[in-house]
Amino acid sequence: MPASFGNRIRVTLFGQSHSAAMGAVIDGLPAGFPIDTQGLAAFMARRAPGGTYSTKRREADAVEFLSGLVESASAPGGTDGTGLVTCGAPVAFLIRNTDARSQDYAKLKDIPRPSHADFAAYLKYHGYNDIRGGGQFSGRLTAPLCAAGYLCKCLLKQKGVTIVSHIASVGGVCDTPLDPMALDPSYAARLADPFPVLDEDARAKMQETILAAARSGDSVGGTIEVGVYGFPAGHGGPFFGGIEGTISQALFAIPAVKGVEFGAGFGFAGMHGSEANDPYTIDASGEPRPASNRCGGILGGISSGLPILFRAAFKPTPSIIKEQQSVSLSRRTPEPLVVGGRHDPCIVPRAAVVCEAAAALALMNTEDETIE
Amino acid sequence: MPASFGNRIRVTLFGQSHSAAMGAVIDGLPAGFPIDTQGLAAFMARRAPGGTYSTKRREADAVEFLSGLVESASAPGGTDGTGLVTCGAPVAFLIRNTDARSQDYAKLKDIPRPSHADFAAYLKYHGYNDIRGGGQFSGRLTAPLCAAGYLCKCLLKQKGVTIVSHIASVGGVCDTPLDPMALDPSYAARLADPFPVLDEDARAKMQETILAAARSGDSVGGTIEVGVYGFPAGHGGPFFGGIEGTISQALFAIPAVKGVEFGAGFGFAGMHGSEANDPYTIDASGEPRPASNRCGGILGGISSGLPILFRAAFKPTPSIIKEQQSVSLSRRTPEPLVVGGRHDPCIVPRAAVVCEAAAALALMNTEDETIE
Amino acid sequence: MPASFGNRIRVTLFGQSHSAAMGAVIDGLPAGFPIDTQGLAAFMARRAPGGTYSTKRREADAVEFLSGLVESASAPGGTDGTGLVTCGAPVAFLIRNTDARSQDYAKLKDIPRPSHADFAAYLKYHGYNDIRGGGQFSGRLTAPLCAAGYLCKCLLKQKGVTIVSHIASVGGVCDTPLDPMALDPSYAARLADPFPVLDEDARAKMQETILAAARSGDSVGGTIEVGVYGFPAGHGGPFFGGIEGTISQALFAIPAVKGVEFGAGFGFAGMHGSEANDPYTIDASGEPRPASNRCGGILGGISSGLPILFRAAFKPTPSIIKEQQSVSLSRRTPEPLVVGGRHDPCIVPRAAVVCEAAAALALMNTEDETIE
Amino acid sequence: MPASFGNRIRVTLFGQSHSAAMGAVIDGLPAGFPIDTQGLAAFMARRAPGGTYSTKRREADAVEFLSGLVESASAPGGTDGTGLVTCGAPVAFLIRNTDARSQDYAKLKDIPRPSHADFAAYLKYHGYNDIRGGGQFSGRLTAPLCAAGYLCKCLLKQKGVTIVSHIASVGGVCDTPLDPMALDPSYAARLADPFPVLDEDARAKMQETILAAARSGDSVGGTIEVGVYGFPAGHGGPFFGGIEGTISQALFAIPAVKGVEFGAGFGFAGMHGSEANDPYTIDASGEPRPASNRCGGILGGISSGLPILFRAAFKPTPSIIKEQQSVSLSRRTPEPLVVGGRHDPCIVPRAAVVCEAAAALALMNTEDETIE
């Protein structure tokens, strides 16, 4: 079913860009798990609109819990009795849509935006689709995905797993890749930024690329790289239970993702086995492990014990101000289109945290070790 | 669960490279569906080992049906009463493993092949994994996937959907891309080859690349491109029900796939919206449709009515003859490794038909239109 | 996952008796489906507390839609633009908990009610369970199940399917069974009652039984019978896809259900085949059909074309005023318990509509005919 | 999907009564789990046909493993290297159909047996259903269910869980119920019988009831009671994750089951709360637990720590020799029917072990404790 993901931690999303609210139900969280509401707000802020490089729509995106929690003195912020822990019931929350300007979308009901989901939704739902703000296909729906993914990220954190992300490229400008062998202690500070990059020169060039696109009424695409450090070896599985497939399914739920690759990814296509293979070594603790990580931490769908590394490709925002060729669905005639409304010239910076959330959700749903 | 895929047509795989048999159970096929056993054999032959560019292991890979079929005079080959149709019960079949030489693998139980699933399987299954021929991680398991996918491909064919594939690249050598707008009638003949390419110059260069790798005891990677023509608009869905995610999950079940991209894919990352967007036009029949197909036939996870196009990246076969650095799992010491056995210097040619099968299986499991 | 049911129309429930709200997400409803909000309110009123024979807790149980709907002039109540239709996105709604008196439950955190879920929840969630009002185990959670089931019932109604229910027994007092062969036109009026029975004498005796139990600080059990008329033949399936199993799984989600039987049910255990079998006949339209319906409309897990009939057994409400023997969980000592709060002396009358909802949900998730 | 059950240990069944073979794929078994092939054969023998009270069809029902196992010296029977353990890959097996006499069924293709699945299958599969021996609706399909359930039963045994069953009634003759509070050590010996009862007088009367039915060309129904001893408290869950619903779904996959009840079951409908409730006590080890077990070991869908007890009602075999009224499907005319072939006058004795298997499969798929 489209709205649900996972058989261990199942997230079910709901909402449209301009519905009363959007949100999610999360089933399977362990009871007694403390909710770090401040950490959640900080995580959501990394995705929130409002920065220089994003849409002018401004919403607090406050997560309002409806069920699944009880008060507990042991939870963060809980000294005054306001700390919250899970009680074993499904956790449901909503995020209100407060800054919707639906009138911007009247024209688009008849004249669809090129390369936007509006057209396919019109075909699928026979015109009943909610056109306002892109309906359920809006990037706004990544807000409940982030909130749900944050809880998964916290569960993983408890097990010693750290997930980081950065803008790997915007237009043709590339950042330094993440360290494939170990978590760099400087990442925590450097990648908490709303425009997360490792190379300051790349940052400046990427930002200029985005501003140039915005100035010409255009948009620009890019890639996000995610690194998962500390994930235990031996999770995942063969066939349809592989970690690559599970992460991919979660990533393609993010609007605008059109490609996913693990480790060397498409680069493998040009390699020989002798270049591609990761030899084994005995590490300092006497354990066998790969000595390099071109495989992105996954062998046969199973975690190898090395960091899990992947990249997702984002197409440029389809909503651009430049005039484009469209059609009138009612009159069956060509119509030029200039898109109004408030749109991101580049959604890639805000997408980094969404990719982390998707990865966390996916990894909480990979198979554990199965030995008794 | 790792072995199963799909909620409409569910395929459950089983088997290891050297187990008595491998096979699948297919649940959800409509009753009265005729099995084209000759077509199935031809499809399987495209994946079968034995060609110049593949392993020397030779097996008939005959599909032996165990259940789910009844004889019917109306089925292909049925004039003498031997035609088979589905009866509504799950269709189960097996493929026997007849040319297994398990002694080749004794050494690998202790000294894992770099970048092969052996090592991860050892970690996950605590040494109980079946090492013979790579166990359930062997490329041989794509044989039952092909047989199951072929039945899905026949179901789609009944609805007017054609799936074709070719070797998009080997090493750095690229073939001409598939036509993104319409099925080229010449594809049927040109792509039925065990080494399916469109450009004869590319064929020669690719084959030379593979033979050169084989001569030096090495292997080489590549990409497969698949085109789905005639798939109806309005299938798939938002969130986790998108066609990209569903196809990806099926593709990553194929050993060695490390990346998947749709339409312009990773190329989008370097584009502006004005270059990337597919404008709309009114076609000859008076219907609105995209005038170009950089989106690969999918918008918002939903089919647009244009061909669905994607590429999968394959890493080079990890089993190479060149000496590599490995370790002894029992002694915790470095060990050089020279892999014996019979291995493909390039699995990409045989993988084309497997990608078609995975696509067919995925597409039979995307959501239909939901209007009543 | 506990909170979700269904692979065609998937309902995901959330909420506890005293959480901010409870509700559900419904995925898979067709787009353009009109919501009959008045019909929904009337259906919910049949389950709502407040009658003579139920708890004194009073709540409007208004269903507040959060997403999945758009305004449409074509929907009921839509002449002024307020009619609502589905837009293809998941439909989410909440029901607020407004009359919660959590202080009634402080004692029960330590001294569990005999035969109530409190004790098992304490074991499962290690004391983190929400004790207030029974938490997620409260009968209140049948409110969102009813609302979701009502939408399924409307979908079935469009296909000509009518679902009715009545109190088959309370204590030892039995009502007349439903007609096993055809829908009695008088049912619509007679069974819309908050205390739905067919036999007025039985009604009086059942009500006296309940009042007598209430007077003595006790409660009483009973059974509900449901009839599904007009359900098409050939739905459902063998093995785990049978209609009995699917309906049962939905029914056992209703707190207090401890048995389910179809047609003659447990009565079959004392019969001979010659008494139990339903012979075939040719009906007035020339079609073959069973001439009797001891099988409850289901053969081999598949609908036979006759009405589907089943009964669910409800245990008496565990929360009784009479003193009972319990224990202190903290002190590990015996403790007598007198339960306060507001509880139903018999939940069976309010359960009828819940069983209809569960049946509707289950039937929307049985397999269709599979012929192409 | 009809053929599959479970999200932790998933069993996928295949086969028809007269197909080449039937069998199952079992996904999710832990690696390194030893297969007790002698125990399996003994378990299968309890279901096998051939006794005085069953069909004359005789088949060895040998389980032939196809995949998922490797040889291990540590497994039972493994001193000579022939012991088998799971390797983490899906375990697939088949059971050949060797004594099929398909000609017995030619007539039934046109003249369906009253109350048999043949008629519903004809409607669902539009005449393509496999009529031979009842096709996939045959009781023979309980053989692979038994084999799969046996492996689950062994897994549970490792955790200290014992499952026993007996014939609770045949016709109107009832056996002594199982002990609801603790496993009686004598059960192991007394219930290993192919006709498992506790009361020898009941045995004689039941057998006489069956023989009398057989003599008059008739059949007779009955009930099976299952007891699960040692199952840990706190498993299962609310809503659709309850143990009752999970067990029921598995039980209704057994042909002829028409009712399921837990603990006092339908008896609750006539009780007051003060009679029905199980008071709490502090047991000898100082732990709180219910002092009686009318709830059948389940509260709120969660195991209470007491034995889980349930009964399943079986209708009489529909295939009886006595003349019955049927119809010709082709001619649309009434036709008397006398069923030939070899059929059980009472399938209840052979069903006991099948109910154990279904319970084991269901219990391996209930949710664990969720505390971290």
Side-chain angles (χ1 to χ4, degrees), chain C:
Chain C
M1 305 297 292
S4 295
F5 184 90
N7 279 316
R8 290 165 187 257
I9 305 286
R10 177 173 292 172
V11 168
T12 301
L13 300 174
F14 65 84
Q16 302 111 257
S17 185
H18 293 198
S19 60
M22 53 190 181
V25 182
I26 311 170
D27 197 11
L29 292 172
F33 180 70
I35 304 298
D36 178 356
T37 48
Q38 285 193 315
L40 173 59
F43 193 80
M44 297 300 287
R46 291 174 55 198
R47 195 215 68 91
T52 310
Y53 308 100
S54 78
T55 170
K56 296 300 171 242
R57 182 171 174 177
R58 289 172 182 281
E59 313 210 43
D61 284 352
V63 174
E64 187 180 330
F65 287 101
L66 297 174
S67 71
L69 304 179
V70 288
E71 294 184 358
S72 167
S74 68
T79 50
D80 59 343
T82 59
L84 295 170
V85 300
T86 52
C87 69
V91 170
F93 65 83
L94 59 76
I95 297 170
R96 294 179 193 279
N97 289 316
T98 53
D99 187 26
R101 298 203 324 222
S102 300
Q103 70 280 14
D104 288 346
Y105 293 88
K107 180 176 65 175
L108 303 178
K109 185 89 186 180
D110 190 47
I111 306 177
R113 287 171 280 181
S115 287
H116 192 281
D118 288 351
F119 177 68
Y122 160 82
L123 295 172
K124 180 174 180 67
Y125 303 115
H126 292 244
Y128 288 107
N129 60 303
D130 185 355
I131 194 72
R132 302 166 301 155
Q136 63 178 325
F137 298 89
S138 167
R140 259 193 81 60
L141 269 295
T142 59
L145 177 58
C146 271
Y150 176 76
L151 299 185
C152 293
K153 199 183 169 190
C154 291
L155 280 170
L156 288 164
K157 189 75 191 173
Q158 281 193 333
K159 299 169 195 279
V161 181
T162 301
I163 303 178
V164 301
S165 66
H166 71 126
I167 308 170
S169 74
V170 162
V173 186
C174 294
D175 192 25
T176 307
L178 293 172
D179 187 322
M181 298 303 289
L183 179 65
D184 183 324
S186 75
Y187 286 172
R190 292 160 76 193
L191 298 179
D193 195 88
F195 200 100
V197 290
L198 294 172
D199 174 345
E200 289 305 312
D201 284 351
R203 178 193 307 275
K205 285 180 193 156
M206 286 176 182
Q207 292 182 343
E208 174 46 34
T209 300
I210 295 171
L211 291 174
R215 278 192 301 266
S216 63
D218 212 334
S219 64
V220 64
T223 54
I224 295 292
E225 185 187 30
V226 174
V228 181
Y229 296 89
F231 194 75
H235 287 225
F239 304 139
F240 309 106
I243 292 180
E244 291 110 329
T246 307
I247 289 181
S248 292
Q249 205 199 354
L251 284 172
F252 279 115
I254 306 172
V257 171
K258 295 298 281 190
V260 174
E261 60 180 359
F262 293 81
F266 277 86
F268 277 125
M271 289 188 194
H272 286 97
S274 55
E275 303 166 276
N277 286 356
D278 296 313
Y280 294 111
T281 189
I282 302 296
D283 70 12
S285 65
E287 291 299 311
R289 67 165 177 76
S292 60
N293 191 14
R294 282 177 287 267
C295 278
I298 307 168
L299 293 170
I302 297 172
S303 53
S304 72
L306 260 57
I308 294 173
L309 292 154
F310 64 85
R311 277 173 303 283
F314 286 79
K315 67 180 172 119
T317 322
S319 300
I320 58 175
I321 298 172
K322 277 189 177 173
E323 184 177 303
Q324 300 179 86
Q325 187 55 47
S326 186
V327 294
S328 161
L329 297 174
S330 61
R331 295 188 303 274
R332 296 294 200 253
T333 53
E335 294 287 340
L337 176 69
V338 175
V339 178
R342 299 160 295 174
H343 304 287
D344 288 285
C346 182
I347 47 90
V348 178
R350 294 172 60 199
V353 69
V354 184
C355 290
E356 289 183 27
L361 175 56
L363 290 170
M364 283 305 300
N365 283 293
T366 57
E367 199 177 58
D368 294 345
E369 297 176 77
T370 56
I371 191 76
E372 286 290 281

Side-chain angles (χ1 to χ4, degrees), chain D residues 106-147:
Chain D
K107 180 175 66 174
L108 302 178
K109 184 89 185 180
D110 190 47
I111 306 179
R113 286 171 280 181
S115 287
H116 192 281
D118 288 350
F119 177 68
Y122 161 82
L123 295 172
K124 181 175 179 67
Y125 304 116
H126 294 244
Y128 288 107
N129 59 303
D130 185 354
I131 194 72
R132 302 167 301 158
Q136 63 178 324
F137 298 89
S138 167
R140 259 192 80 62
L141 269 295
T142 58
L145 177 58
C146 271

Side-chain angles (χ1 to χ4, degrees), chain B:
Chain B
M1 305 297 293
S4 296
F5 184 90
N7 278 314
R8 291 165 186 257
I9 305 286
R10 177 173 292 172
V11 168
T12 301
L13 300 173
F14 65 85
Q16 300 111 258
S17 185
H18 293 198
S19 60
M22 52 190 182
V25 183
I26 312 170
D27 196 11
L29 292 172
F33 180 71
I35 304 299
D36 178 357
T37 48
Q38 286 192 314
L40 173 59
F43 193 80
M44 297 300 287
R46 292 174 56 197
R47 195 214 71 91
T52 310
Y53 308 101
S54 78
T55 170
K56 297 299 172 240
R57 181 171 174 176
R58 288 173 184 279
E59 314 210 42
D61 284 351
V63 174
E64 185 179 332
F65 288 101
L66 297 174
S67 71
L69 305 178
V70 288
E71 295 185 357
S72 167
S74 67
T79 51
D80 59 343
T82 59
L84 295 170
V85 300
T86 53
C87 69
V91 170
F93 64 83
L94 57 75
I95 298 169
R96 294 179 193 278
N97 289 316
T98 54
D99 187 26
R101 298 204 324 223
S102 301
Q103 70 281 15
D104 287 346
Y105 292 88
K107 178 177 67 176
L108 303 177
K109 184 90 186 180
D110 190 47
I111 306 177
R113 288 171 279 181
S115 287
H116 192 281
D118 288 351
F119 177 67
Y122 160 82
L123 295 172
K124 181 175 179 66
Y125 304 115
H126 293 244
Y128 288 108
N129 59 304
D130 185 356
I131 194 73
R132 301 166 301 156
Q136 62 178 325
F137 298 89
S138 167
R140 259 193 80 61
L141 270 294
T142 58
L145 177 57
C146 272
Y150 176 75
L151 299 186
C152 293
K153 198 182 170 192
C154 291
L155 279 170
L156 287 164
K157 189 75 190 173
Q158 280 193 332
K159 300 170 195 280
V161 181
T162 301
I163 304 179
V164 302
S165 65
H166 70 127
I167 308 171
S169 74
V170 162
V173 186
C174 294
D175 192 25
T176 306
L178 293 172
D179 187 321
M181 298 303 289
L183 178 65
D184 182 325
S186 75
Y187 287 172
R190 294 159 76 194
L191 299 178
D193 195 88
F195 200 100
V197 291
L198 294 172
D199 174 345
E200 290 305 312
D201 284 351
R203 178 194 308 275
K205 286 181 193 155
M206 287 177 182
Q207 292 181 343
E208 175 45 35
T209 300
I210 295 171
L211 291 174
R215 280 191 300 266
S216 63
D218 212 334
S219 62
V220 64
T223 54
I224 294 292
E225 185 186 29
V226 175
V228 182
Y229 297 88
F231 193 75
H235 287 225
F239 305 140
F240 309 106
I243 291 180
E244 290 110 330
T246 307
I247 288 180
S248 292
Q249 207 200 351
L251 285 171
F252 280 115
I254 305 172
V257 171
K258 295 298 280 188
V260 174
E261 60 180 357
F262 293 81
F266 277 86
F268 278 124
M271 289 188 193
H272 286 98
S274 55
E275 302 167 276
N277 286 355
D278 296 313
Y280 294 112
T281 188
I282 302 295
D283 70 13
S285 65
E287 291 299 311
R289 66 166 178 77
S292 60
N293 191 14
R294 283 177 286 267
C295 279
I298 306 169
L299 293 169
I302 297 171
S303 52
S304 71
L306 260 57
I308 295 173
L309 292 154
F310 64 86
R311 276 174 304 282
F314 286 78
K315 67 180 173 121
T317 322
S319 300
I320 58 176
I321 297 171
K322 277 191 177 173
E323 183 178 303
Q324 300 180 84
Q325 187 56 47
S326 186
V327 293
S328 160
L329 297 174
S330 60
R331 295 187 302 275
R332 297 293 200 254
T333 52
E335 295 286 342
L337 176 68
V338 174
V339 178
R342 301 160 293 175
H343 304 286
D344 288 285
C346 182
I347 48 90
V348 178
R350 295 172 60 200
V353 69
V354 184
C355 290
E356 289 182 27
L361 175 55
L363 290 170
M364 282 307 299
N365 282 293
T366 57
E367 197 176 60
D368 295 344
E369 296 176 78
T370 56
I371 191 76
E372 288 289 282

Side-chain angles (χ1 to χ4, degrees), chain A:
Chain A
M1 305 298 294
S4 295
F5 184 90
N7 279 316
R8 289 164 187 257
I9 306 286
R10 177 173 291 171
V11 169
T12 301
L13 300 174
F14 64 86
Q16 300 113 255
S17 185
H18 292 197
S19 60
M22 52 191 181
V25 182
I26 312 168
D27 196 12
L29 293 172
F33 179 70
I35 304 298
D36 178 355
T37 48
Q38 285 193 315
L40 174 58
F43 193 79
M44 297 300 287
R46 290 174 55 198
R47 195 214 70 90
T52 311
Y53 308 99
S54 78
T55 171
K56 297 298 172 244
R57 181 172 174 175
R58 289 173 181 280
E59 312 211 43
D61 284 352
V63 174
E64 186 180 331
F65 288 101
L66 298 174
S67 71
L69 305 178
V70 288
E71 294 185 357
S72 166
S74 67
T79 49
D80 59 344
T82 60
L84 295 170
V85 299
T86 53
C87 68
V91 171
F93 64 82
L94 58 75
I95 298 170
R96 295 179 191 279
N97 289 315
T98 54
D99 188 27
R101 297 203 326 223
S102 301
Q103 69 280 15
D104 287 346
Y105 292 88
K107 180 176 66 175
L108 303 177
K109 184 90 188 181
D110 190 47
I111 306 177
R113 286 171 281 183
S115 286
H116 192 281
D118 287 351
F119 177 68
Y122 160 82
L123 295 172
K124 181 176 179 66
Y125 304 117
H126 293 245
Y128 287 108
N129 59 304
D130 186 354
I131 193 74
R132 300 167 302 157
Q136 64 178 324
F137 298 90
S138 166
R140 259 192 80 60
L141 269 295
T142 58
L145 177 59
C146 271
Y150 175 74
L151 299 186
C152 293
K153 198 182 169 190
C154 291
L155 279 171
L156 288 164
K157 189 75 191 171
Q158 281 192 333
K159 299 169 196 282
V161 181
T162 301
I163 304 178
V164 302
S165 66
H166 70 125
I167 308 172
S169 74
V170 162
V173 186
C174 294
D175 192 25
T176 306
L178 293 172
D179 187 321
M181 297 304 287
L183 178 66
D184 182 324
S186 75
Y187 287 172
R190 293 160 77 195
L191 299 177
D193 194 88
F195 200 101
V197 291
L198 294 172
D199 174 344
E200 289 305 312
D201 285 348
R203 177 193 307 275
K205 285 180 194 158
M206 287 177 182
Q207 292 181 343
E208 174 46 34
T209 301
I210 296 172
L211 290 173
R215 279 191 300 266
S216 62
D218 213 334
S219 63
V220 65
T223 54
I224 295 293
E225 185 185 32
V226 175
V228 181
Y229 296 88
F231 194 75
H235 287 225
F239 305 138
F240 309 105
I243 292 180
E244 291 110 329
T246 306
I247 288 180
S248 291
Q249 206 200 351
L251 284 172
F252 279 115
I254 305 172
V257 170
K258 295 298 281 187
V260 174
E261 62 181 358
F262 294 81
F266 277 87
F268 277 124
M271 289 188 193
H272 285 97
S274 55
E275 303 167 275
N277 286 354
D278 297 313
Y280 295 111
T281 188
I282 301 294
D283 70 13
S285 65
E287 290 299 310
R289 67 164 177 78
S292 59
N293 191 13
R294 283 177 286 267
C295 279
I298 306 169
L299 293 169
I302 296 171
S303 51
S304 71
L306 260 58
I308 295 173
L309 292 154
F310 63 87
R311 277 173 304 283
F314 286 79
K315 68 180 171 119
T317 321
S319 301
I320 58 176
I321 298 172
K322 275 190 178 173
E323 183 177 302
Q324 299 179 87
Q325 188 56 48
S326 186
V327 294
S328 161
L329 296 173
S330 60
R331 295 187 302 275
R332 297 293 202 252
T333 53
E335 295 286 343
L337 176 69
V338 175
V339 178
R342 300 160 293 175
H343 304 286
D344 288 284
C346 183
I347 48 88
V348 177
R350 295 173 59 200
V353 69
V354 184
C355 290
E356 289 183 26
L361 175 55
L363 290 170
M364 282 305 300
N365 282 292
T366 57
E367 198 176 59
D368 293 345
E369 295 177 79
T370 57
I371 190 73
E372 288 290 283

